[in-house]
Amino acid sequence: MKINFSTAANHLGSSAVREILKLTQGKDIISLAGGLPGEELFPMQAVRDAYSRALSADTSALQYGLTEGYAPLREQIAARLTKQGIPVSASEMILTTGSQQAIDLLCKILLDPGDAVLVEAPTYLAALQVLGSYRADIHIVQSDGHGMLPDHLEEQLRQQRPKLLYAVPTFNNPSGATWSKERREKTVELCRRYNVLILEDNPYGEITFDESPGAYPPTLAEIDRSSSSEPCVVYTGTFSKIVAPALRTGWIAGPAELIKVITKAKQAADLHSSAIDQRALSELLGFFDIEGHIREISRQYYSRMKLLSAELSFRSWNGTRFHEPRGGMFLWLTLSEQINTTKLLPFAVEQGVAFVPGEVFFSAQPLTNTMRLNFTHTPPELVPLAVQRLEKALAQYEQSELSFLH
């Protein structure tokens, strides 16, 4: 039979990253594509012990749970956020199935078809998928390595009258950029003035490469909550990058009235996220040195980033440029303007290396000569080989383009 899909279903896009991951399955391919943490750095024994403790507590560990999430874990997260300068209570938070669901639920309760939303360029691909599924009218705010340009932001706020601004201001996915304190303060000030909610997505913010005090600017949420005004920043994070993705435990924090409506939306979606995973994570935070673990993986990832940076710098491809990120998981590579990285990808896969073409991170006017490279998942000993393969793919691509022109 012919299935008549809804208008909403027809607006669902697929993830380029997931499609690329399919290409790499079962093949001798070094993938720099996915946003994957290093598996060998997972705290395996601590996680085993956490689940054992959760399951030995009582039989209710396997029962249905609260939609808002396991109360002790919400208290623990609230305490961590408060220590980080974002004072929140457990009643101002709901646990979600990763921060991806947090983005979806907020958009579900906020956006009607045609509502304007402001984003950076480039920005997180899966956020663009969510916004597209709710048929938002997505508008780009011009940005540089320091954040959104204040003049253009105010122009877009005035002209588009958006309901939401979505941003990853700390170790941006995909660019790796970190906004300056001044840009953050100006963004919060302008959005408050124009009555626009900000969704600050911060899955990578704790993976820092500089351990000196005051090395990084405060989050938008910290700036927002340091004033006496009503909060205009909704904050989402996850344990996927700092513990393990399979736990699928994230959170969204915001005004209590907003959390109440998100709770209703989550009830309709899945009743609640995995109760046993939340209990295990709560146990883990009780006995495991999570802060020490984060410092260790940050050091390891810094070393891997420097290795990838050195290999790319050694090659000195014509027109290639990048900036070393100050944290997070990604390096943004810009190639010569004549190179289309979407067309380059099949040559790379043939050579045994994968990346994400940059154009998928733009809602409009994509930069087709860019790519996102992940440096956290690939074992360090394979990084030189990955770059060698990328170099061979570039040579093949350029030869193919020359042949086509002639």
Side-chain angles (χ1 to χ4, degrees), residues 155-171:
E155 180 183 323
Q156 292 288 62
L157 288 168
R158 187 174 58 252
Q159 292 181 357
Q160 309 303 337
R161 297 293 175 180
K163 271 193 176 178
L164 180 69
L165 181 149
Y166 170 81
V168 188
T170 306
F171 317 138

Side-chain angles (χ1 to χ4, degrees), residues 33 37 41 84 131 140 153 155 175 191 228 232 241 250 277 292 332 342 345 377 381 384 403:
L41 299 175
Q84 293 169 8
L131 293 171
I140 291 172
L153 171 58
E155 180 183 323
S175 72
C191 285
S228 58
C232 72
K241 315 304 183 188
D277 291 340
W332 184 247
T342 299
L345 180 60
H377 183 253
E381 64 271 16
S403 299

Side-chain angles (χ1 to χ4, degrees), residues 91-94 105-106 109-110 197-199 231-235 252-265:
S91 64
E92 296 175 298
M93 174 190 308
I94 183 171
L105 291 174
L106 182 66
I109 68 163
L110 199 66
L197 200 66
I198 299 172
L199 175 56
C232 72
V233 176
V234 181
Y235 187 81
I252 185 166
E257 63 174 336
L258 181 76
I259 297 302
K260 287 180 181 178
V261 181
I262 290 177
T263 301
K264 294 178 183 178

Side-chain angles (χ1 to χ4, degrees), residues 4 11 25 50 60 78 127 139 141 184 189 199 201 220-221 269 314:
N4 295 312
H11 280 80
Q25 296 301 305
S60 68
H139 296 271
V141 178
R184 293 167 189 251
E189 175 197 329
L199 175 56
D201 191 5
L220 300 179
F314 175 73

Side-chain angles (χ1 to χ4, degrees), residues 197-208:
L197 200 66
I198 299 172
L199 175 56
E200 180 178 15
D201 191 5
N202 194 22
Y204 316 101
E206 295 190 74
I207 304 174
T208 56

Side-chain angles (χ1 to χ4, degrees), residues 341-375:
T341 55
T342 299
K343 294 180 180 179
L344 171 64
L345 180 60
F347 292 92
V349 172
E350 184 180 337
Q351 287 296 326
V353 64
F355 59 84
V356 185
E359 69 174 332
V360 300
F361 299 101
F362 294 83
S363 63
Q365 302 173 341
L367 297 178
T368 57
N369 61 326
T370 57
M371 66 173 69
R372 189 192 76 177
L373 301 175
N374 168 264
F375 52 77

Side-chain angles (χ1 to χ4, degrees), residues 10 18 25-26 52 102 104 130-131 135 153 248 294 327 356 366 379:
N10 288 325
R18 298 293 153 187
Q25 296 301 305
S52 178
D104 181 77
V130 173
L131 293 171
R135 290 176 280 167
L153 171 58
R248 303 310 301 134
I294 293 170
V356 185

Side-chain angles (χ1 to χ4, degrees), residues 209-229:
F209 297 159
D210 187 342
E211 296 183 23
S212 58
Y216 299 95
T219 61
L220 300 179
E222 181 178 350
I223 292 169
D224 180 44
R225 291 193 174 236
S226 66
S227 76
S228 58
S229 303

